[in-house]
Each structure stands twice: as structure tokens, then as C-alpha cells.
Amino acid sequence: MTAGVVLGVEKPIGVTEAAQVPQQRSELLLDAAVRYAEERHWDVFPGTWLEAVGGAERCSCGDADCALPGAHADRPDWAGQATGSGAAARRMWTRQPRASVLLPTGRAFDALEVPEAAGFLALARMERMDLTLGPVTCTPDRRMLFFVLQGGAAKAAELVRSLGWNAEAIDLTGRGEGQYIAAPPTRVGGRGAVQWACGPTNANRWLPDVDELISPLAYACAREAAAARARTA
């Protein structure tokens, strides 16, 4: 079981627990957004939120078939809206307390996205290798995102290729400039909330370079991709 840390508050989080999360409270969203900006110097911006419609929860975007209900940007100019000011973040979430907390990548950090099973396998391998990790999120869609230094996403595919794999084939992707991720405690419809598998702490304030993590991540992704092919053969 992996220890999850939510801005200094530790709690256990396991692979099967990712979607078992109570409904988020608005004050937690505001508090998280302000603390990301003030304590980590990450840009933040508010996204969509969940609304009760006919006894069910739907995304504020109005699309009944929204792929990421309550967890995506709600305007095309979201990049210009993002702020690293805690005071500005407080004002934005005070206006819309239920808004999801979104973090633009390609600014303070990039992220490497992998399937959850591969991510936990890689975490165990990295621990044995005594690698220094940055924060890692776990989504209710069973994906994990590893924070790395800015610019890492653009290098990921070539680094994976140098190890003998194809990044797309093993389901390892990067999130960099012009993209964003949902941050805890954002909830994605009825699926559950984004959580920290490895939370932000003073120990991981300095992020690893993509070169340091790519080998264990690619190995884990390739192993899981091979296992998936075997199951369907």
C-alpha cells in the first residue's frame, strides 16, 4: 500500500481505493487552490463543476455526455486565467466555490501519465532504486501522473524510444505546455476524486528530471501492456 499525502496530511491510499471518495466540500477546493499557489508556487485556475440536474449530477458545461464531468476547463482562454497568486485564487474560488482545481502543465512542472497499475509498479521499483520522486496523482479513471521538471513531456517519447519501446504503444504520455491536469480534491462526476499517491511535501519540492523516471515508468508500462495483450489473446 502506498502512503498518500495531501499537503502534509498523510493517509493510506491503495489501488482499489482510488474511486472510493466522499463528495468533496467546496471549502476544501478553495483551500487546496490557495495552498497550491502559495506553498508550491503552482499556477491554478478554476474549471467546471458538478450540478444536480433531475436527481443526477451533471457537468456545469451542459453536455450530458461530458467525458470529464466537473473536471475540465470551462473557457477557451483558460491559460490566461491561471494565476500563481493565492489572493487571486481565493477570489476566483469564492466566486465559484464548487469549481474544479486545475493546474496548467508546462509552467512549474510537466507530468508523465501512465495506467494506474503500471504507476504503482513503477513506484515500488523507484523506491527500491532510491529515486527521488515529485508529487504523483491518482485519478478515478485509473491513471497516474508523475510530476517532473518543465520540458520533460516533450522529451518523453524519444527517451522511451531509446529504451526500445514506443511510448504510444505502452500508453505512456506527457502533459506539457498548453495542457493541464486536475488536482486533488477535484471530483470527476460520480467516479470519485483525484487523489495524491505521493503528495507535495518539503522533501519533493525539487522535481526530478524526466530522464530519472523514464526507465522504471517505461518498464512498468511495457510490462502492463504485454500482460493486457496476453489476457486478450
Side-chain angles (χ1 to χ4, degrees), residues 35-229:
R35 294 178 72 181
Y36 293 149
E38 292 184 343
E39 298 179 13
R40 301 299 291 200
H41 305 295
W42 292 341
D43 282 3
V44 298
F45 70 97
T48 55
W49 58 91
L50 296 171
E51 298 179 329
V53 179
E57 287 186 320
R58 288 190 179 177
C59 186
S60 62
C61 72
D63 183 357
D65 298 317
C66 180
L68 292 170
H72 64 86
D74 68 345
R75 46 194 286 184
D77 62 342
W78 62 263
Q81 186 187 23
T83 179
S85 163
R90 183 175 298 279
R91 287 194 297 271
M92 288 192 287
W93 268 270
T94 297
R95 287 195 295 267
Q96 183 43 260
R98 293 177 294 168
S100 51
V101 181
L102 305 179
L103 310 176
T105 49
R107 297 189 183 186
F109 63 88
D110 281 4
L112 299 180
E113 180 179 345
V114 300
E116 184 183 74
F120 278 109
L121 177 62
L123 280 177
R125 189 175 177 86
M126 290 172 186
E127 185 174 315
R128 292 194 299 271
M129 296 169 68
D130 199 28
L131 291 179
T132 301
L133 282 172
V136 182
T137 63
C138 186
T139 78
D141 295 318
R142 301 200 174 279
R143 308 290 292 178
M144 292 179 72
L145 293 108
F146 289 71
F147 288 31
V148 295
L149 286 174
Q150 179 188 7
K155 300 191 293 183
E158 182 57 37
L159 288 171
V160 171
R161 189 178 299 111
S162 71
L163 295 169
W165 291 297
N166 176 280
E168 183 178 357
I170 63 173
D171 199 8
L172 189 159
T173 58
R175 302 273 192 100
E177 186 176 358
Q179 298 175 285
Y180 61 84
I181 64 171
T186 296
R187 192 160 61 91
V188 186
R191 304 171 208 168
V194 182
Q195 297 192 70
W196 291 113
C198 296
T201 66
N202 286 332
N204 64 21
R205 188 170 293 276
W206 300 104
L207 298 176
D209 195 357
V210 64
D211 305 68
E212 301 173 58
L213 304 188
I214 202 69
S215 179
L217 281 173
Y219 169 81
C221 286
R223 178 170 165 176
E224 287 303 311
R229 288 194 298 271

